[in-house]
Amino acid sequence: MKRATRKRLGDLLIESNIISEQQLVKALNDKSREEKIGDYLIKQKLITEQQLIQILEMQLGIPRIHLSQQTIDPELTHIVPKELAKRANIMPVRKNGNKLLIAMGDPMDYFIIEEVRMATGYQIETSIAAKDDIFRAITKYYDLQESMDEVIQDNMPSVQEDDTQITDDDSPIVRLVNQIIASGVAQQASDIHFDPQDTELKIRYRVDGVLRNDRSVPKNMQNIIIARVKIMGNLNITENRVPQDGRIKTVVNHRPIDIRLSTLPTIYGEKIVMRILDLGNALNDLDRLGFSDRNYKLFHSMLEKPNGIILITGPTGSGKSSTLYAGLNYLNDEEVNIITVEDPVEYQLEGINQIQVREEVGLTFAVGLRSILRQDPDVIMVGEIRDIETAQIAIRSSLTGHLVLSTLHTNNAIESISRLIDMGIETFLLSSSLLGIMAQRLVRQVCRDCKVERAPLEHETKFFEAYGVTMETISEGKGCPSCNDTGYRGRLAIHEILSIDDKIKTQILNKENPGVIREYAKSQGYNTLVEDGLDKVAAGLTTIEEVLRVATSE
């Protein structure tokens, strides 16, 4: 092997002016003995994975490969054993004579290259790929395809004939469903959809708020897959005429995962949606919610108040629950009695008493809230204000010495005042109890690995100027394996917070027009969702298109 390829990664990064010698020395001292220097530098956000790939490609002449754009012959999975591919995080790409091209996250790991050569008998050529890209390819070609083939070969007897195929952990159908869930978790999907069609069953994942097709399975596999999922959620597999709801608790790659399950009868069979609640990734820290400095101080000060009501508004899937839980986690102390009433209980928090609404037995939000008041609470969280009865009890609770947190479905913070008045809440109660209202949405975040800067277009400049913002460059993702060629990876929240001061209390009491309240709030520094979003565009975190997708431009 040529001597040039023996250069150490740290030296290459210093030569390319990506990190300093001091940063390298510190990283070598701080990382664990088993951890690779490249992985540690990425974790500490000193470099991106794409920077690492570019350095290896340029300095060592190792070609980069996008596995998501490759068609890989399934026969290659018989050449490189599954155990080796997973342990070494490598993926066979193609063979030519006695040469085998493999994709690696670390093509400088000569021990792995030698191990693959010994295991396969082929001369090994290397290419470099993003680790997530390799992981997705291994899941697709080794795990999912292997499980699919086994199910097809199993001739799939009907569910009624043999129940062991959907309950035995070693059966092909059980392994297939487990792999579909594991693939969703690996892609950081929030939902998995099993969509029955006329001739097939589509499996789709919602990643960063966008739904996309992953694969289709033959129609004759539909019933047995649906039956297995229903068994996992303790649902009635013989009932397919009415919707059912269930819950699954499982562990995927050593991480606890909670799944909410919902079935819905359609003309082509039962549609199932799994909502994945990744307990290991739960955002329960206020500092991680993406608040601007002003909004962080406002929300923090509201939580510090001894009594009153704090409302969080937004549509389904806008991260309201995560914000509520982060607030509760901040307040959680052995000296504080916190009780919640939720539908459903999404995350179970240690030290907090959580009640699950069960309308079939009469345990509604209002009934649960009345019972909570007899339990000597300090802080109460009501999952959602759906009706006048719940709203009245929540507001009266906040006036009798309790801090109440809840959610409401409105488009923005100021509209929530009109909504509560329309529901029948007296203005004197509302003005006395409200501490603040926060509206929020989730926007996709520009992928760090393929982020590029460009000059704003004419219409973008005009849009910025309308909001008094000056932008010389804006960021966007050009698409890479890390973000599955979308240009976005992960999500962050944009917020608007209306803090209720004495002037706004008087305006509520006098039933002032929302426009008057907005005008006063703006004079006090109130930022709308779009304005907070544009601040995050200016910081290179998201794009104008994302902000306008979720927030209305006023």
Side-chain angles (χ1 to χ4, degrees):
M1 215 169 274
K2 292 187 289 186
R3 186 174 178 79
T5 62
R6 291 290 181 182
K7 267 195 174 181
R8 294 183 303 176
L9 177 60
D11 296 332
L12 293 176
L13 292 169
I14 291 171
E15 284 174 18
S16 303
N17 295 320
I18 292 176
I19 62 171
S20 66
E21 194 167 344
Q22 291 79 8
Q23 286 175 318
L24 176 62
V25 170
K26 186 176 187 306
L28 289 169
N29 290 333
D30 292 349
K31 78 176 186 69
S32 64
R33 188 171 179 180
E34 300 78 20
E35 196 169 18
K36 292 182 177 178
I37 186 64
D39 292 340
Y40 181 82
L41 291 169
I42 291 170
K43 187 174 76 177
Q44 296 299 314
K45 297 188 175 179
L46 293 170
I47 63 171
T48 68
E49 188 171 18
Q50 289 306 306
Q51 281 179 318
L52 179 59
I53 289 173
Q54 285 168 359
I55 287 299
L56 295 172
E57 186 178 29
M58 288 167 54
Q59 299 277 6
L60 305 181
I62 297 172
R64 178 199 313 206
I65 196 163
H66 288 207
L67 291 172
S68 56
Q69 298 171 359
Q70 298 284 323
T71 301
I72 295 173
D73 185 351
E75 286 299 314
L76 295 177
T77 60
H78 301 304
I79 296 174
V80 177
K82 176 177 170 180
E83 181 277 328
L84 176 57
K86 285 191 162 187
R87 175 170 51 81
N89 199 37
I90 61 169
M91 185 68 204
V93 180
R94 60 177 171 266
K95 66 182 177 72
N96 183 12
N98 70 335
K99 293 179 180 177
L100 178 67
L101 176 67
I102 62 171
M104 305 177 67
D106 180 8
M108 299 176 76
D109 192 331
Y110 305 109
F111 295 106
I112 290 295
I113 295 170
E114 183 62 17
E115 186 179 353
V116 177
R117 187 187 69 78
M118 297 284 287
T120 63
Y122 284 81
Q123 291 299 315
I124 303 303
E125 294 181 336
T126 59
S127 61
I128 184 166
K131 291 189 175 177
D132 283 350
D133 204 16
I134 296 171
F135 185 81
R136 283 194 293 266
I138 291 172
T139 301
K140 179 178 179 180
Y141 289 100
Y142 279 96
D143 294 333
L144 267 174
Q145 195 57 49
E146 184 181 281
S147 299
M148 289 256 302
D149 293 343
E150 285 180 358
V151 172
I152 292 167
Q153 290 166 12
D154 215 32
N155 293 322
M156 293 168 302
S158 69
V159 178
Q160 289 76 13
E161 285 176 13
D162 179 16
D163 279 340
T164 60
Q165 64 185 320
I166 55 174
T167 56
D168 183 356
D169 286 347
D170 288 328
S171 78
I173 193 66
V174 170
R175 288 204 296 273
L176 173 60
V177 172
N178 289 346
Q179 289 301 336
I180 290 170
I181 295 171
S183 181
V185 172
Q187 295 182 49
Q188 296 182 338
S190 60
D191 302 86
I192 304 174
H193 290 237
F194 295 82
D195 283 343
Q197 305 294 314
D198 188 15
T199 58
E200 62 189 5
L201 175 69
K202 280 189 176 176
I203 295 164
R204 304 196 288 170
Y205 295 116
R206 187 178 295 280
V207 180
D208 293 338
V210 178
L211 197 59
R212 58 173 180 246
N213 287 337
D214 184 76
R215 63 181 54 239
S216 297
V217 299
K219 186 72 175 176
N220 62 351
M221 291 170 61
Q222 176 177 307
N223 287 344
I224 196 166
I225 288 175
I226 299 299
R228 170 56 192 167
V229 174
K230 289 170 76 173
I231 284 283
M232 292 175 76
N234 291 318
L235 303 183
N236 182 354
I237 65 169
T238 62
E239 179 56 80
N240 55 18
R241 300 162 299 173
V242 296
Q244 298 184 67
D245 293 307
R247 195 159 198 151
I248 300 169
K249 285 198 167 191
T250 185
V251 175
V252 177
N253 292 332
H254 312 294
R255 284 156 59 187
I257 303 293
D258 206 347
I259 296 171
R260 282 194 352 235
L261 200 61
S262 173
T263 74
L264 184 71
T266 73
I267 58 171
Y268 295 126
E270 284 182 283
K271 171 181 169 65
I272 288 186
V273 175
M274 291 178 159
R275 166 63 58 90
I276 300 173
L277 305 170
D278 188 343
L279 304 180
N281 269 348
L283 285 177
N284 54 12
D285 187 345
L286 288 180
D287 296 331
R288 295 171 58 199
L289 293 181
F291 284 114
S292 66
D293 289 342
R294 178 181 180 276
N295 286 341
Y296 180 85
K297 286 172 186 170
L298 284 174
F299 191 54
H300 194 272
S301 67
M302 290 191 295
L303 290 172
E304 291 289 340
K305 298 282 172 59
N307 59 279
I309 186 164
I310 301 168
L311 291 175
I312 300 176
T313 80
T316 303
S318 59
K320 298 188 299 294
S321 296
S322 293
T323 303
L324 278 176
Y325 283 126
L328 291 180
N329 200 54
Y330 170 76
L331 295 167
N332 195 4
D333 187 277
E334 62 180 18
E335 298 174 358
V336 179
N337 181 20
I338 302 175
I339 308 180
T340 76
V341 53
E342 307 170 59
D343 184 24
V345 174
E346 293 194 2
Y347 296 108
Q348 293 169 10
L349 302 176
E350 192 174 341
I352 292 177
N353 308 284
Q354 295 170 275
I355 300 170
Q356 168 73 55
V357 165
R358 297 187 61 183
E359 295 193 359
E360 69 274 14
V361 295
L363 179 53
T364 62
F365 277 115
V367 171
L369 198 43
R370 279 200 191 92
S371 302
I372 285 173
L373 292 173
R374 296 192 284 272
Q375 292 284 321
D376 185 32
D378 298 299
V379 178
I380 300 169
M381 192 268 268
V382 185
E384 184 184 342
I385 292 178
R386 294 177 179 171
D387 52 52
I388 179 64
E389 188 181 11
T390 307
Q392 285 175 334
I393 302 169
I395 285 173
R396 290 186 186 278
S397 303
S398 70
L399 291 171
T400 54
H402 306 98
L403 181 64
V404 179
L405 288 77
S406 190
T407 70
L408 195 65
H409 284 282
T410 56
N411 288 328
N412 59 52
I414 292 172
E415 269 184 29
S416 303
I417 297 170
S418 304
R419 172 74 189 281
L420 289 166
I421 293 172
D422 291 342
M423 285 173 72
I425 300 296
E426 296 287 351
T427 53
F428 73 90
L429 289 174
L430 201 53
S431 65
S432 304
S433 60
L434 265 181
L435 292 174
I437 307 168
M438 178 169 77
Q440 78 172 45
R441 301 288 189 277
L442 292 177
V443 293
R444 289 185 292 172
Q445 198 164 348
V446 174
C447 175
R448 277 183 75 240
D449 285 341
C450 61
K451 180 159 76 171
V452 293
E453 292 188 346
R454 64 168 174 81
L457 303 173
E458 186 179 349
H459 73 276
E460 291 171 330
T461 302
K462 286 180 180 176
F463 187 79
F464 281 122
E465 286 174 351
Y467 284 90
V469 179
T470 304
M471 288 283 290
E472 293 182 5
T473 61
I474 58 177
S475 299
E476 64 182 11
K478 60 183 180 180
C480 68
S482 296
C483 61
N484 219 5
D485 294 317
T486 62
Y488 298 99
R489 189 176 186 194
R491 288 191 289 178
L492 75 156
I494 58 174
H495 309 90
E496 65 179 35
I497 298 182
L498 180 69
S499 183
I500 310 296
D501 61 14
D502 290 340
K503 174 77 172 176
I504 295 178
K505 285 182 180 183
T506 304
Q507 291 174 327
I508 293 171
L509 203 56
N510 295 335
K511 295 187 179 178
E512 291 278 13
N513 186 289
V516 175
I517 298 176
R518 179 184 297 275
E519 196 173 313
Y520 168 72
K522 293 286 285 181
S523 71
Q524 301 300 302
Y526 170 77
N527 274 347
T528 63
L529 285 166
V530 172
E531 287 167 332
D532 189 50
L534 290 182
D535 286 342
K536 291 180 166 73
V537 173
L541 298 174
T542 188
T543 62
I544 293 178
E545 291 77 18
E546 273 300 290
V547 173
L548 294 181
R549 182 175 68 84
V550 301
T552 307
S553 175
E554 292 118 8

